[in-house]
Amino acid sequence: HIFVYAVDFSQRGVAMVKAHRAYDEKRLRAAVCDITCGSLPAELGPVQADVVTLIFVLGSVPPEKMGAALRTAVGALKPGGRLLFRDHADGDMAQQRFESSAEPKKLGPNLYVRRDRTLSFYFTTEGAAELFIRAGFRVERLEYTTRVIENRKEGLRMTRRFITGVFVRDDNVTAGQGSG
């Protein structure tokens, strides 16, 4: 039996989930949440999850708030629980397009703003490991993944580069201190 907690910054996104005909609060509870605030919404009740996913989430968070977002995730996990992570990696084709753009879009190292004014951060394995360790995780796996995507209609081949990781809540590390 699986129970899912879903949070999103967008009220509209959460409303869409709740409006779906398969939404059943006996199996899924969704709420609006700014994960950088340090805790989950009270309406979710106590959360002790086996798994938390951050799939193309953390790279949209301002770098100075990423630690707070990860502390929220640590607080949602059972001891020994795992966080599954995937986001854009340094050297991705989209980052290269930002670099070659005539418009100034770069806000800082590996940090860009998209046309819709959302952020896009491109992670290195070293930087991601340090960030997760400081938040109270142990690195189980962290690697780059490369995919070649082909647009046959346009005759384009695009190399996309992602970072994928599995992190374990490490109760032997005090969040904020890290272990090295």
Side-chain angles (χ1 to χ4, degrees):
H1 179 260
I2 294 177
F3 190 89
V4 175
Y5 295 95
V7 296
D8 197 292
F9 188 74
S10 165
Q11 288 182 340
R12 183 173 171 229
V14 171
M16 288 173 60
V17 168
K18 288 182 171 183
H20 194 278
R21 62 181 171 78
Y23 182 76
D24 177 358
E25 286 212 353
K26 293 180 194 132
R27 298 181 63 215
L28 167 69
R29 192 165 304 137
V32 175
C33 178
D34 175 355
I35 62 171
T36 67
C37 72
S39 63
L40 293 174
E43 68 193 83
L44 293 179
V47 176
Q48 287 289 287
D50 294 308
V51 177
V52 167
T53 63
L54 288 177
I55 311 296
F56 297 105
V57 172
L58 203 56
S60 298
V61 171
E64 66 274 10
K65 293 185 176 184
M66 288 179 184
L70 290 175
R71 285 188 293 281
T72 300
V74 165
L77 280 169
K78 290 179 181 176
R82 285 174 167 67
L83 185 143
L84 310 179
F85 170 70
R86 184 169 177 128
D87 223 307
H88 298 285
D90 185 32
D92 182 47
M93 177 206 75
Q95 181 185 25
Q96 293 168 4
R97 283 195 307 214
F98 277 128
E99 290 287 344
S100 64
S101 172
E103 297 177 43
K105 296 177 181 175
K106 189 169 187 171
L107 301 177
N110 292 346
L111 179 64
Y112 303 83
V113 64
R114 296 185 187 107
R115 279 185 236 177
D116 65 2
R117 304 191 54 80
T118 58
L119 296 179
S120 188
F121 187 83
Y122 294 84
F123 291 90
T124 63
T125 54
E126 297 83 6
E130 182 180 323
L131 185 65
F132 279 85
I133 290 167
R134 272 190 288 171
F137 288 97
R138 176 176 49 81
V139 179
E140 185 172 280
R141 191 181 96 225
L142 183 61
E143 62 193 12
Y144 294 114
T145 304
T146 303
R147 297 279 183 255
V148 177
I149 300 168
E150 189 172 345
N151 180 330
R152 291 185 185 118
K153 182 178 179 183
E154 300 291 327
L156 296 173
R157 288 176 54 89
M158 301 164 279
T159 302
R160 301 303 311 265
R161 191 167 190 226
F162 307 106
I163 188 169
T164 304
V166 178
F167 302 90
V168 179
R169 177 178 162 174
D170 188 347
D171 290 339
N172 295 319
V173 174
T174 303
Q177 289 181 343
S179 62

